[in-house]
Amino acid sequence: STDAVAAKADVAKGSVYKHFPTKRDLFAAVFERVSAGVATKAAAAAANQSDILKAMIQGVEAFFLACAEPKVSQIMLRDGPGVLG
């Protein structure tokens, strides 16, 4: 709920609505933050390889491992497509 988000962030509920007019807007920001973290993990794993094929494999493996984390999976694979399309 918006009340829970405001309480967790230690801000007034109005401040949440100022930056995120709808719950969809708030979720989109969360989705972007989580997916950027997954992309960073995948890129870091790929960067350690000199061979392009090994780099691709390491990057994809890191992506899948990140998506296996329950919170990431919930946001990116379950809720994301339903909320954001």
Side-chain angles (χ1 to χ4, degrees), residues 49-76:
Q49 298 296 323
S50 58
D51 178 80
I52 189 69
L53 183 57
K54 288 181 182 178
M56 290 172 58
I57 291 168
Q58 290 296 315
V60 170
E61 184 177 273
F63 173 83
F64 284 125
L65 287 173
C67 287
E69 296 174 21
K71 289 181 181 179
V72 172
S73 175
Q74 185 68 45
I75 292 166
M76 287 185 61

